[in-house]
Amino acid sequence: MLVATVLGSAVASLDATVVNIALPRIGDALHTGVAGLQWTLSGYTLTLASFILLGGSLGDRLGRRKVLVWGTVGFAAASVLCGAAVNIEMLVAARVVQGMAGALLTPGSLALISSSIDERDQGAAIGLWSGFGGIASAVGPFLGGWLIEVASWRSIFFINVPLAAVVVAVALRHVPESRDPAASRRADVPGALVVAVALGALTFGLIEKMPLLAVAGVVLLAVFVLIELRSDHPLVPPALFRSRVFTAANLVTLAVYAALGGVFFLLVLQLQQVAHFSPLFAGIATLPLTVLMLVLSAPAGRWAQRHGPRLPMTIGPLLAAAGLVLLLRIGPDSGHVGGYLRDVLPGVIVFGLGLSTLVAPLTGAVLGAVPAAEAGIASGVNNAVARTAQLLAVAALPGLAGISGSVTDATAIDHGFTTAMWICVGLLLTGAVIAAALLGTPRTRHESGAVDTLPRCDMSGPAVQPNPPGHTAGR
């Protein structure tokens, strides 16, 4: 079951980051600039963020394994279309479809784990899921760089097909079906459509520099909140936010994953276009982050289960922010082994330590704060928050940092990278402050199954988070 669910969510996480390393080659091959590359990432994240709430809701109603399989098949089909794209418009359209399928795939995998694993093992399960999901996101640049070197940028999409086949085969044979018997049989389609249009308008307005359209998107998001407050079957049950821990953890997610979205988009451009790393070398540059996530995520999950999430969720963003400050040293003279060891590796290690400290405790805080029956919707809400943060960061940061026009303008990218990383540092510091201020000391679980803060030793609620770096963020 862990193979199917971890690999299923990892496919979606991997694709959220593996494309980054190919962006310069995609820009050259399809004759597009920075805006086209923003849409290549944002087209996927837009529909993923918009419909992941609906995906979690459908899983609770129709069967989580069934929705997982549907999403995996759709993801594979859309990946084939991405690999066959003949222009940027076709690629972006296929990425939009890919994001819709990912919205079905991701929350189903999380809810299946939480509904089937003994509560005494959930701390370790959180670490494993978050760690391997984070590894999938982090290994994306390395895998993408190798595939680009030996084949072409199209191969990063075609590789999803055999991975999806494994997920479907294992899920159908080994994963038990589960659903929420108390879930409404009706889906909140109006809410899903309004939030999709809202995020689409906001993204389009930010990328294309149309402020009135961006404002319209914000207004529609307010309309979505009103719909949810009045609906008898909302995508986002307002009662979830009565938990201070759930609210605080999602605020931390919003700040931290906005930073991660900006970092993973711009770092590979800085490495390739400014420091002149090859795609493979640019991928290898972040490999220490992968190793740290693999080694430290499970212990971090166990520690947070026993002692509470406040300390790691405060220290993690601070370490990650320090890592970004160190990465500001990357420049035109960093493109050799000595430059890598001096300018890149220290920042990657400190950044990786921060993510490893943060991801699993954030997971436990989010899903330990809700009753077990609300696993699917809780994971969907948190994943939607993370993806929305990444979406808006990719849409807004290049403009705020002065990066536009041709992807080959190394000077503009170099100057903009510095500005953007300082903005990301500010976001990470904001996440640390929120965690320190709003996450209290652990308490016992209420009889209802929800908690005000993370329980001391036992989480009988849902087990895993919908967003490691890249998802967890780096997701």
Side-chain angles (χ1 to χ4, degrees), residues 20 23 34 38 41 259-274 330 393-394 396-399 401 403 412-414 416-421 423-424:
N20 288 7
L23 288 176
V34 172
Q38 287 176 273
L41 296 183
L260 297 184
V263 170
F264 283 108
F265 175 48
L266 295 174
L267 179 59
V268 293
L269 291 180
Q270 181 76 358
L271 290 174
Q272 292 189 59
Q273 302 302 104
V274 176
I330 300 173
V394 171
L397 267 182
I403 301 174
I413 291 174
D414 192 19
F417 178 76
T418 300
T419 302
M421 290 306 99
I423 294 173
C424 292

Side-chain angles (χ1 to χ4, degrees), residues 129-143:
W129 191 94
S130 301
F132 281 107
I135 287 168
S137 299
V139 81
F142 170 73
L143 178 62

Side-chain angles (χ1 to χ4, degrees), residues 85-101:
V86 296
N87 52 47
I88 192 64
E89 292 79 12
M90 181 177 174
L91 177 60
V92 170
R95 292 279 284 167
V96 167
V97 177
Q98 203 178 33
M100 292 180 182

Side-chain angles (χ1 to χ4, degrees), residues 43-389:
Y44 175 80
T45 315
L46 171 62
T47 47
L48 183 63
S50 299
F51 294 111
I52 202 163
L53 295 169
L54 185 61
S57 178
L58 289 175
D60 287 342
R61 289 164 173 77
L62 304 179
R64 291 158 181 160
R65 184 184 68 173
K66 181 186 297 183
V67 172
L68 171 71
V69 171
W70 289 352
T72 304
V73 172
F75 197 90
S79 296
V80 173
L81 293 177
C82 289
V86 296
N87 52 47
I88 192 64
E89 292 79 12
M90 181 177 174
L91 177 60
V92 170
R95 292 279 284 167
V96 167
V97 177
Q98 203 178 33
M100 292 180 182
L104 298 178
L105 191 163
T106 304
S109 67
L110 297 172
L112 279 167
I113 289 179
S114 66
S115 64
S116 304
I117 290 181
D118 189 286
E119 66 183 52
R120 292 169 296 180
D121 296 323
Q122 287 185 4
I126 289 172
L128 285 172
W129 191 94
S130 301
F132 281 107
I135 287 168
S137 299
V139 81
F142 170 73
L143 178 62
W146 178 74
L147 288 172
I148 292 167
E149 293 285 344
V150 301
S152 74
W153 64 267
R154 300 180 187 276
S155 60
I156 66 175
F157 297 108
F158 291 138
I159 196 175
N160 291 331
V161 176
L163 296 177
V166 173
V167 173
V168 171
V170 175
L172 292 177
R173 182 174 178 84
H174 296 288
V175 177
E177 184 60 280
S178 71
R179 54 176 55 86
D180 180 6
S184 170
R185 307 312 297 174
R186 298 171 58 195
D188 185 12
V189 176
L193 293 177
V194 169
V195 76
V197 174
L199 291 178
L202 187 54
T203 303
F204 196 95
L206 291 173
I207 292 178
E208 303 298 336
K209 298 178 177 60
M210 300 173 65
L212 291 180
L213 191 58
V215 170
V218 173
V219 172
L220 285 173
L221 286 177
V223 172
F224 170 71
V225 172
L226 293 177
I227 291 174
E228 299 308 285
L229 289 173
R230 297 183 178 185
S231 175
D232 57 357
H233 50 281
L235 281 177
V236 184
L240 288 176
F241 292 93
R242 293 173 186 168
S243 165
R244 178 166 52 87
V245 167
F246 186 82
T247 301
N250 277 285
L251 290 174
V252 174
T253 299
L254 186 67
V256 168
Y257 277 82
L260 297 184
V263 170
F264 283 108
F265 175 48
L266 295 174
L267 179 59
V268 293
L269 291 180
Q270 181 76 358
L271 290 174
Q272 292 189 59
Q273 302 302 104
V274 176
H276 307 294
F277 283 32
S278 69
L280 179 58
F281 193 19
I284 293 173
T286 59
L287 197 56
L289 191 154
T290 302
V291 176
L292 290 169
M293 290 293 296
L294 176 61
V295 172
L296 299 179
S297 288
R302 293 190 189 97
W303 193 95
Q305 186 177 17
R306 294 186 178 94
H307 304 288
R310 184 181 186 181
L311 185 61
M313 286 179 62
T314 302
I315 293 176
L318 294 177
L319 283 173
L324 294 189
V325 173
L326 292 174
L327 289 175
L328 290 173
R329 302 172 65 181
I330 300 173
D333 60 345
S334 302
H336 51 85
V337 174
Y340 170 75
L341 295 175
R342 181 189 67 236
D343 300 335
V344 183
L345 183 60
V348 168
I349 289 175
V350 176
F351 186 65
L353 288 173
L355 294 188
S356 302
T357 304
L358 167 70
V359 171
L362 177 58
T363 297
V366 168
L367 295 180
V370 301
E374 296 176 349
I377 190 61
S379 64
V381 169
N382 190 237
N383 210 331
V385 170
R387 304 307 182 187
T388 299

